[in-house]
């Protein structure tokens, strides 16, 4: 950031930039300041690659399974019978996780796949940013977003 500001000032002092251009450049840098933490996250090994899956709490597990199978051609990828969780998708990859649990009709979490996921490194990076990850049956390794929604973090 300092190098960019220095370059803008040098160009202004040499007459290559108008005062208006200098101010616009500085304003753009200020507006982009919110992306600095994003850039730090990218460098820190927490680079989101995709939405991995969505988990939905359902009333009728067999009916919900049939719905996603018939409508979208998804197949059962894995099951956790004791906890009444069925993961549907294709090619061995879950897209939708159905959990027979109340309250129903909720998306209880979604998962973001992270490139080069290393749980210990991600934990350290999150804690360095004031966020403590948690782990539980419903959302796995996750954090809470500002609205309290569980965001699971998995390998991408």
């Amino acid at each position: 950031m300092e190098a960019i500001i220095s370059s803008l000032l040098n160009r202004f002092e040499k007459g290559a930039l108008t005062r208006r251009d200098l101010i616009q450049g500085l304003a753009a840098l200020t507006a982009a300041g919110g992306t600095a933490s994003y850039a730090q996250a990218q460098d820190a090994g927490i680079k989101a690659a995709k939405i991995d899956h969505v988990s939905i709490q359902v009333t009728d597990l067999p009916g919900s399974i049939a719905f996603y199978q018939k409508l979208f051609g998804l197949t059962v990828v894995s099951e956790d019978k004791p906890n009444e969780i069925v993961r549907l998708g294709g090619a061995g990859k879950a897209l939708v996780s159905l959990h027979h649990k109340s309250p129903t009709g909720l998306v209880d979490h979604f998962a973001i796949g992270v490139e080069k996921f290393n749980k210990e490194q991600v934990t350290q990076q999150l804690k360095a940013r004031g966020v403590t990850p948690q782990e539980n049956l419903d959302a796995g390794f996750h954090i809470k977003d500002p609205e309290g929604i569980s965001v699971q973090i998995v390998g991408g």
Side-chain angles (χ1 to χ4, degrees), residues 113-147:
V114 173
E115 291 180 355
K116 300 175 187 172
F117 177 74
N118 177 298
K119 189 174 179 179
E120 290 76 31
Q121 289 177 349
V122 169
T123 298
Q124 290 173 0
Q125 294 301 321
L126 291 169
K127 286 184 176 182
R129 289 172 175 76
V131 179
T132 302
Q134 302 169 10
E135 195 149 5
N136 64 35
L137 170 70
D138 291 324
F141 177 75
H142 70 283
I143 59 172
K144 297 280 188 174
D145 82 353
E147 296 297 324

Side-chain angles (χ1 to χ4, degrees), residues 73-77 88-95:
L74 301 180
T75 59
V76 174
V77 174
L88 302 169
K93 185 69 186 136
L95 298 174

Side-chain angles (χ1 to χ4, degrees), residues 74-98:
L74 301 180
T75 59
V76 174
V77 174
S78 68
E79 291 183 70
D80 178 349
K81 289 184 181 186
N83 293 302
E84 298 183 274
I85 300 171
V86 175
R87 294 170 193 90
L88 302 169
K93 185 69 186 136
L95 298 174
V96 177
S97 178
L98 302 173

Side-chain angles (χ1 to χ4, degrees), residues 46-78:
I46 308 175
K47 184 176 181 185
K50 64 182 177 180
I51 296 294
D52 187 79
H53 69 270
V54 175
S55 177
I56 305 165
Q57 294 178 192
V58 300
T59 304
D60 176 9
L61 187 58
S64 294
I65 293 167
F67 172 84
Y68 284 97
Q69 287 178 324
K70 289 177 185 173
L71 227 58
F72 298 104
L74 301 180
T75 59
V76 174
V77 174
S78 68

